[in-house]
């Protein structure tokens, strides 16, 4: 079985098991990924944050397009975060330059805000804009 097929099946399985964490049942396709990363200059040397990375379709393209950027990748699904790390390693991407964190975007961004010296110029989000769940204490009726 090809690595691409394994990744797609893993993504689909994760989407079925954790429906509230996932916005899609397949990784983003190349044309969408290219449009999402287009604003980041190829010679960019700063920090890029990717939220909701899934299995890493965008992560791999961004790392290839911007070889000098430092990329912090956030994926709440631990299984998909591990697939992303494996895909990056298989592609020869330096884990020191691209860090995959298995945690919520809220937690990662809160930690990042405490580090004023490492603010990103670009935040790319694969987090879906689906229906949100209101917290019971939100005060809305």
């Amino acid at each position: 079985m090809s690595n691409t097929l394994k990744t797609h099946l893993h993504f689909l399985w994760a989407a079925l098991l954790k429906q509230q964490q996932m916005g899609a049942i397949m990784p983003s396709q190349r044309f969408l990924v290219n449009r999402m990363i287009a604003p980041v200059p190829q010679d960019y040397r700063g920090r890029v944050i990717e939220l909701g990375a899934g299995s890493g379709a965008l992560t791999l393209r961004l790392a290839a397009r911007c070889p000098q950027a430092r990329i912090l990748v956030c994926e709440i699904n631990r299984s998909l975060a591990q697939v992303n790390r494996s895909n990056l390693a298989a592609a020869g991407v330096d884990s020191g330059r691209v860090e995959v964190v298995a945690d919520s975007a809220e937690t990662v961004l809160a930690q990042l805000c405490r580090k004023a010296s490492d603010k990103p110029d670009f935040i790319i989000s694969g987090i879906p804009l689906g229906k949100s769940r209101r917290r019971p204490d939100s005060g809305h009726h």
Side-chain angles (χ1 to χ4, degrees), residues 72-82 85 99-105 107-108:
L72 177 61
V73 179
C74 171
E75 173 50 56
I76 195 169
N77 183 299
R78 292 188 183 286
S79 179
L80 287 177
Q82 185 55 47
R85 284 186 202 102
E99 178 185 3
V100 179
V101 177
D103 209 338
S104 70
T107 300
V108 171

Side-chain angles (χ1 to χ4, degrees), residues 9-141:
L9 288 174
H10 199 94
F11 195 95
L12 175 62
W13 185 248
L16 293 173
L17 291 177
K18 305 277 187 166
Q19 293 176 12
Q20 293 179 358
Q21 291 178 351
M22 304 292 291
I25 59 168
M26 295 299 289
S28 298
Q29 298 304 309
R30 183 178 288 264
F31 73 92
L32 176 59
V33 168
N34 288 341
R35 290 196 64 186
M36 290 176 73
I37 66 174
V40 184
Q42 291 179 335
D43 61 348
Y44 182 67
R45 295 175 180 265
R47 169 74 79 182
V48 178
I49 309 297
E50 180 187 359
L51 303 175
S55 58
L58 191 145
T59 310
L60 284 167
R61 297 281 302 146
L62 180 62
R65 174 183 163 82
C66 305
Q68 298 169 358
R70 293 180 339 272
I71 304 167
L72 177 61
V73 179
C74 171
E75 173 50 56
I76 195 169
N77 183 299
R78 292 188 183 286
S79 179
L80 287 177
Q82 185 55 47
V83 170
N84 196 338
R85 284 186 202 102
S86 296
N87 289 339
L88 288 164
V93 176
D94 179 14
S95 63
R97 186 173 71 85
V98 180
E99 178 185 3
V100 179
V101 177
D103 209 338
S104 70
E106 180 180 38
T107 300
V108 171
L109 291 174
Q111 290 172 353
L112 190 66
C113 286
R114 291 185 210 120
K115 299 178 185 177
S117 63
D118 204 18
K119 298 278 185 195
D121 291 313
F122 298 95
I123 298 177
I124 299 171
S125 177
I127 296 175
L129 298 175
K131 65 180 179 183
S132 63
R133 294 181 0 187
R134 269 191 263 162
R135 294 181 182 176
D137 60 342
S138 67
H140 296 293
H141 301 288

